[in-house]
Amino acid sequence: MESSDVELDLQRSVHAVLRELSTQAPALQSNQGMWRWSLHKKVERDPGKSPALVRILLRELEKAESEDLRHVIIPLLHTVMYVLTKATGITEELYQRIYAFCTRLLTLPTPYCTVALDCAIRLKTETAVPGTLYQRMVIAEQNLMNELYPYQERVFLFVDPELVSASVCSALLLEIEAAQEQQTPEACMRHVVSHALQAALGEACHAGALHRKLQASPRHTLEQYFHLWWPPVEQMASEASPSREGHVERLEEIYCSLLGPAAGRRGGDPVQERPPSIPLPSPYITFHLWTGEEQLWKELVLFLRPRSQLRLSADLEVLDLQGLRPDRELARVSVLSTDSGIERDLPPGADELPAPSSPEMERAGLKRKGGIKKRAWPLDFLMPGGWDGPPGLHRRTGRPGGDGEVLPGVSRLHTARVLVLGDDRMLGRLAQAYHRLRKRETQKFCLTPRLSLQLYYIPVLAPEKPAASRQPELGELATFLGRADPWYQSNVNTLCPAIHKLAEMPPSLDSSQTVDPFILDVITYYIRMGTQPIYFQIYTVKIFFSDLSQDPTEDIFLIELKVKIQDSKFPKDGFSPRRRGVAEGPGAELSLCYQKALLSHRPQEVTVSLRATGVVLKAIPASDTEGSRHCPLPAAPVTDHSCLNVSVTEVVKSSNLAGKSFSMVTNTFRTNHIQIQSQDQRPLTLSLDKDDQRTFRNVVRFEVAPCPEPCSGAQKSKAPWLNLHGQQEMEATKATPKPLLMPINTFSGIVQ
C-alpha cells in the first residue's frame, strides 16, 4: 500500500473516532470504542504506520486548538501518547512539535492543563531518551526487578459472583489467562531490548537480525543483555538534561556487541524486510472473586511482601492477615499521667537526678514540652535505606496526601491498580472496603504510604433490558462518569455489551489461532491511560432502632440511601401517637433537620415536619434538577457532587365536596448533614447503595454526614496572641476533619 493510501486510511479512522465524540446517534453508540481499538491495531500490526498516524493526530490537535474544539483535545492527546509509547522511528522534530503543543495547553483550565502537563513531562524524557516510556511501563508491569528502576505494578481485578454471572467471570478469566500465557519474562526482556535499540537507532538498526539473535538466546544470555542495556538507559533518563546523542552512542556500542562490528554498516543490503512488530505486553492481572471487605486489605499486604531475597522490616513478617491482635496495635501518643502533684506521692528515689551521661538524661534533653505531638512510628516500621528509590525517579500518586501520610525514608515503589466490575452495589461494597482499609491502617498498620492505590471501575449490568431508553437504575455512577468524561463514556461504558457477548460465545479449543482480545485490550488501555481521578464523598449514617435494647450502628454509603415506611400495627385500643380525629393517611410523619447547601458554605439549619411515603438520598447528581416548596431552587451547581441530593415524597392532604383526598408531591433539596426521625410508631427501612444485603429495618431515627478521614483527627490549639474570637475561629477550623474521598480514575477527570 502506498504512503498516500496509508495516510488516507488512517485519516478516515481518526475522523471516525472524532465523529463518535461529537454525535449521540444510536447507530454510532453501538460501535463506540471499536474505532479507537481498530486504529491502534493498525499500527500494532504494521509499526511503519506509526509516524504517519502521529502526524495526522498532531494536525487534528492543532485544528482543535484553532477552532476551540476542546472536547476532542484530551482524547486525541491520550491517543497520540499511546501510539508514541509503542512506536519506534519517531523523529526528534515530531517529538518537539507535540511537546510544544502540550506546553501551549498549560494556559487552559483543568483538566486540559493537567493532562497536558503530564504528557509534556513524559514527552521531554522520551525525546531525549527514545523508548523510555515503553521500557519503564513493561519493567514495572511485568515486575522485572531492577536496582535502578525498582517500581512494581499489579492489576487486581475484582468481580463479585453474586452480582456478575458465572459465565461472565469464567469468560474474563479465560481471556486473561490466554493472553498472559505468552508473556513470559524471557519474551518481555526480548521486547524491551529490541524496542530500545530500534527506538534509539532508527533505520540504522537491523531489526530482523536483532530479532533472530534475541530469539535464539537462552534465558541467562537474555538477562545479561538486559542488565547490560538497562543501566545506561535509565541513568541517562534520570539526568536533569539528558543528551540524545550520548544516548545513541551508548546504545550503538551495545548493538555492535550483540550483532558484531559489521552490524553498524548497512549499505550492502538495499532490500530490507519489514521490521517485526514489537507488542506491548498487557499488564500482570490477578483475578479475584469478591468475598468481603477484608479481601482488599489482605491482597494489598500480600502484594507488598517482597521476594525471597528481599525483606521488609519486622512489621510485615509478623503481620497476621486474619487481623492484628490488640497487643500489636501502635501505641497512642497520649499517656495517662499518674502524677498527683504531691511531693510525698513520688516513688522513692524520684528526686535523685540521673547521671549526666545516662540515657534518661539524654532523652530528657531531647523532650519537647507543650508542642503538638505527632504519631510516633516504631523504628522497625520504616523500610531499609536501599528501598528509597533512585533520586531521579518520580511516581505520580494522585492528590497530595490522598493515600496517607508518607513516612520519612519510605518511597512508593509499588502501585496497586484495583479494578472492579459490577454495578452500583459493587461500588458500595468497594467503598466499605476502602473505608475499612483507611480506618484499619491508621489504627494498626500503615499500608498506603508504601504503595500508590489507584481505583478503576468498569460497569457490568444485567442484560435483562438492553434496549431500555432511560438510564439504568443500577448504573448511576457509571452514567455520571460518562457525563463527566466523554472518553470514559466512549471506551469504558460501552464494554458492558461486549462482555456479555464474550460470555455467550463458546470457548475456543484451538490454541494455535491468535485472536485479538478486544475486552482485555480496552481494560489495558483504561488502566494505563486513566490517570485522572474523580473523587467521591463517602457518607456515614448512624442508625437508631425502635428496640431500645439494640445498640445504634454505623455504616457508610457512596451512592444512595433509600428510606421506606414499614407497615406497623397500632395497639388494640386504636390509640395513635398523633392527635385523635386526624386522618393518618399513607406514609408516616417525619421530622427533617438538615443544613442547607449554600455557595457561601455558611451553616443554615432547616427543620421541617411533614408526612411522607419515602425519602431518597443520592450522592450522585442527576442530569436535571427540580425545586421544592421547602427549598425552592438548589443553591449548589449541578456539577457539584460533594453534597447529597434529597428527594422527599410528601403526602399532601386536600378537602373537597367528595371528602378528603391525598396526593403525592416530590420535594428536592441539597444538603451535607441531615437527620430524619419518625414521629409516630411507623418504623423505617433503610437500604444502602441499592444492596439487599445492606438493609436495616425497624429504624426510628438516623443521621447522615460526610464520612471523616480516619487519619485526620480533630486537633485544637490556642495561640496566646489571638483574642477570644480568633481562638474560637482557629479551634473551629482545626476541629473540622477532612472528608474521606474515594477516587475513581478516568481519562480526564471532570470536563466542565
Side-chain angles (χ1 to χ4, degrees):
M1 187 181 294
E2 297 181 359
S3 60
S4 59
D5 296 335
V6 170
E7 291 191 4
L8 185 60
D9 179 63
L10 294 175
Q11 184 78 33
R12 284 196 297 262
S13 299
V14 172
H15 286 170
V17 174
L18 298 180
R19 274 198 308 270
E20 74 178 12
L21 287 171
S22 304
T23 183
Q24 298 296 329
L28 292 177
Q29 287 181 355
S30 60
N31 295 324
Q32 278 188 339
M34 292 294 296
W35 290 111
R36 197 266 330 154
W37 178 75
S38 62
L39 179 64
H40 286 296
K41 281 299 174 182
K42 288 180 181 180
V43 295
E44 183 178 317
R45 298 188 184 102
D46 188 359
K49 298 180 180 179
S50 298
L53 179 57
V54 172
R55 287 192 296 268
I56 293 172
L57 293 173
L58 181 57
R59 286 200 302 265
E60 294 297 332
L61 281 169
E62 294 172 346
K63 178 182 176 182
E65 181 190 20
S66 62
E67 298 180 3
D68 199 20
L69 301 176
R70 295 188 180 182
H71 67 284
V72 301
I73 289 180
I74 292 180
L76 287 174
L77 275 178
H78 284 306
T79 304
V80 72
M81 289 303 300
Y82 205 61
V83 173
L84 290 176
T85 301
K86 299 189 290 185
T88 58
I90 306 298
T91 62
E92 184 177 2
E93 180 267 339
L94 200 53
Y95 276 122
Q96 292 177 351
R97 286 180 58 190
I98 303 175
Y99 177 79
F101 175 81
C102 291
T103 55
R104 293 198 302 268
L105 295 183
L106 297 180
T107 58
L108 297 180
T110 56
Y112 306 100
C113 62
T114 306
V115 177
L117 178 61
D118 178 58
C119 295
I121 293 174
R122 290 187 289 169
L123 282 170
K124 186 176 182 180
T125 303
E126 185 72 11
T127 303
V129 187
T132 305
L133 296 180
Y134 179 96
Q135 298 144 30
R136 287 181 173 179
M137 181 177 292
V138 175
I139 288 175
E141 291 179 348
Q142 305 300 326
N143 295 329
L144 302 178
M145 293 295 294
N146 190 283
E147 294 181 357
L148 294 176
Y149 196 77
Y151 294 109
Q152 299 182 55
E153 296 183 3
R154 183 176 298 177
V155 180
F156 299 86
L157 177 59
F158 287 99
V159 179
D160 196 328
E162 296 180 357
L163 307 178
V164 180
S165 63
S167 59
V168 171
C169 295
S170 59
L172 289 173
L173 180 60
L174 289 176
E175 183 165 346
I176 292 173
E177 290 179 346
Q180 293 184 349
E181 282 181 357
Q182 302 177 355
Q183 295 180 184
T184 61
E186 295 86 350
C188 293
M189 284 189 285
R190 291 191 191 99
H191 297 332
V192 169
V193 175
S194 180
H195 184 276
L197 294 175
Q198 292 186 38
L201 304 181
E203 297 181 356
C205 177
H206 196 308
L210 178 63
H211 177 74
R212 290 189 293 270
K213 175 69 174 179
L214 296 177
Q215 285 291 122
S217 301
R219 180 187 175 101
H220 67 277
T221 307
L222 281 175
E223 291 180 351
Q224 292 178 0
Y225 294 158
F226 182 78
H227 293 293
L228 176 67
W229 150 84
W230 177 245
V233 173
E234 188 56 44
Q235 289 177 358
M236 181 67 67
S238 302
E239 294 179 359
S241 56
S243 171
R244 186 186 181 99
E245 292 76 12
H247 170 67
V248 172
E249 291 178 1
R250 293 183 183 181
L251 289 191
E252 280 181 350
E253 297 176 359
I254 298 176
Y255 175 72
C256 293
S257 65
L258 291 178
L259 299 183
R265 299 187 299 270
R266 301 221 13 215
D269 195 3
V271 180
Q272 295 295 334
E273 65 214 68
R274 174 186 293 183
S277 174
I278 305 175
L280 180 60
S282 59
Y284 180 66
I285 302 177
T286 57
F287 189 89
H288 307 273
L289 295 179
W290 187 269
T291 57
E293 59 183 22
E294 294 290 339
Q295 186 180 10
L296 179 61
W297 164 271
K298 296 177 183 179
E299 295 296 339
L300 294 180
V301 169
L302 291 176
F303 174 50
L304 277 180
R305 285 182 178 269
R307 299 182 179 182
S308 58
Q309 66 269 21
L310 296 175
R311 283 188 173 274
L312 289 176
S313 51
D315 56 344
L316 265 181
E317 301 300 327
V318 303
L319 180 63
D320 183 9
L321 296 181
Q322 301 299 327
L324 299 178
R325 294 194 296 268
D327 57 347
R328 294 183 185 176
E329 295 186 9
L330 296 178
R332 297 182 179 274
V333 177
S334 58
V335 180
L336 178 63
S337 176
T338 57
D339 183 13
S340 63
I342 305 176
E343 184 178 356
R344 65 182 181 184
D345 290 342
L346 294 176
D351 54 347
E352 299 178 3
L353 294 176
S357 60
S358 63
E360 292 81 5
M361 198 65 182
E362 183 178 356
R363 285 196 298 268
L366 296 176
K367 184 179 295 185
R368 178 189 177 193
K369 296 183 179 181
I372 300 176
K373 297 182 179 180
K374 298 186 67 176
R375 187 171 185 173
W377 302 100
L379 293 179
D380 61 347
F381 193 84
L382 303 181
M383 299 174 69
W387 281 78
D388 292 348
L393 303 181
H394 303 279
R395 174 67 59 180
R396 297 186 306 274
T397 57
R399 178 169 56 95
D403 292 338
E405 182 183 0
V406 180
L407 303 179
V410 178
S411 296
R412 282 176 173 159
L413 304 179
H414 297 72
T415 300
R417 306 189 185 276
V418 177
L419 171 64
V420 295
L421 273 67
D423 50 29
D424 290 343
R425 296 172 293 179
M426 183 62 197
L427 287 172
R429 298 177 186 183
L430 176 65
Q432 275 190 313
Y434 183 74
H435 174 259
R436 176 71 174 173
L437 182 147
R438 301 286 300 170
K439 186 176 181 181
R440 182 175 183 178
E441 70 173 2
T442 53
Q443 294 177 353
K444 300 179 180 180
F445 175 70
C446 197
L447 180 65
T448 52
R450 286 183 176 160
L451 60 86
S452 174
L453 180 61
Q454 308 290 324
L455 303 181
Y456 301 82
Y457 170 58
I458 294 180
V460 177
L461 309 180
E464 284 80 11
K465 297 180 180 180
S469 58
R470 63 187 185 89
Q471 297 176 357
E473 182 182 355
L474 294 176
E476 286 191 47
L477 194 137
T479 303
F480 173 80
L481 292 176
R483 293 200 315 265
D485 184 358
W487 201 228
Y488 181 93
Q489 173 67 26
S490 177
N491 289 275
V492 180
N493 277 349
T494 55
L495 264 186
C496 183
I499 292 176
H500 287 296
K501 289 180 181 178
L502 174 67
E504 295 173 358
M505 294 173 57
S508 177
L509 301 178
D510 188 4
S511 59
S512 61
Q513 296 181 356
T514 58
V515 181
D516 292 328
F518 169 72
I519 295 177
L520 183 60
D521 286 348
V522 177
I523 290 176
T524 300
Y525 179 77
Y526 174 41
I527 289 294
R528 288 169 173 163
M529 308 307 293
T531 58
Q532 304 301 319
I534 296 179
Y535 295 94
F536 293 91
Q537 173 67 62
I538 297 178
Y539 290 89
T540 179
V541 52
K542 189 172 184 180
I543 304 171
F544 300 86
F545 300 94
S546 58
D547 187 2
L548 299 180
S549 61
Q550 188 174 359
D551 295 333
T553 184
E554 289 190 10
D555 206 336
I556 61 102
F557 69 94
L558 179 71
I559 300 173
E560 177 186 281
L561 186 150
K562 194 170 186 178
V563 184
K564 294 183 179 179
I565 309 299
Q566 292 180 210
D567 294 332
S568 179
K569 295 181 179 180
F570 292 104
K572 295 181 179 180
D573 58 356
F575 174 77
S576 172
R578 294 180 54 83
R579 300 188 307 271
R580 293 181 180 270
V582 178
E584 293 295 331
E589 192 73 19
L590 302 180
S591 173
L592 284 71
C593 181
Y594 62 93
Q595 289 186 1
K596 189 176 179 181
L598 300 174
L599 292 176
S600 60
H601 299 288
R602 295 177 180 176
Q604 180 180 353
E605 290 192 359
V606 179
T607 302
V608 179
S609 294
L610 48 81
R611 191 163 195 85
T613 59
V615 182
V616 178
L617 285 71
K618 288 186 177 294
I620 306 299
S623 57
D624 54 355
T625 56
E626 298 178 0
S628 67
R629 62 190 184 95
H630 297 298
C631 183
L633 290 176
V638 178
T639 55
D640 183 13
H641 60 284
S642 60
C643 62
L644 290 169
N645 297 267
V646 184
S647 300
V648 182
T649 304
E650 183 183 0
V651 179
V652 179
K653 182 179 63 174
S654 60
S655 300
N656 49 33
L657 296 177
K660 296 179 180 179
S661 61
F662 302 93
S663 59
M664 306 298 173
V665 178
T666 301
N667 302 316
T668 62
F669 56 89
R670 289 188 173 95
T671 182
N672 276 330
H673 301 76
I674 187 171
Q675 174 181 333
I676 299 179
Q677 181 174 359
S678 177
Q679 293 184 337
D680 49 22
Q681 291 187 348
R682 302 292 298 274
L684 311 175
T685 298
L686 305 186
S687 177
L688 304 181
D689 288 330
K690 312 170 188 178
D691 197 344
D692 295 336
Q693 296 183 1
R694 303 175 60 197
T695 302
F696 300 90
R697 299 180 60 85
N698 300 323
V699 178
V700 295
R701 181 167 65 93
F702 65 92
E703 302 172 0
V704 177
C707 182
E709 177 79 35
C711 62
S712 63
Q715 295 181 351
K716 296 183 179 181
S717 63
K718 293 185 178 181
W721 59 85
L722 295 178
N723 55 17
L724 181 60
H725 179 69
Q727 290 180 359
Q728 291 176 353
E729 285 188 354
M730 192 173 185
E731 290 181 6
T733 301
K734 293 202 171 186
T736 303
K738 293 168 52 179
L740 178 60
L741 306 177
M742 189 178 81
I744 296 181
N745 280 20
T746 61
F747 295 100
S748 60
I750 298 182
V751 179
Q752 300 292 343

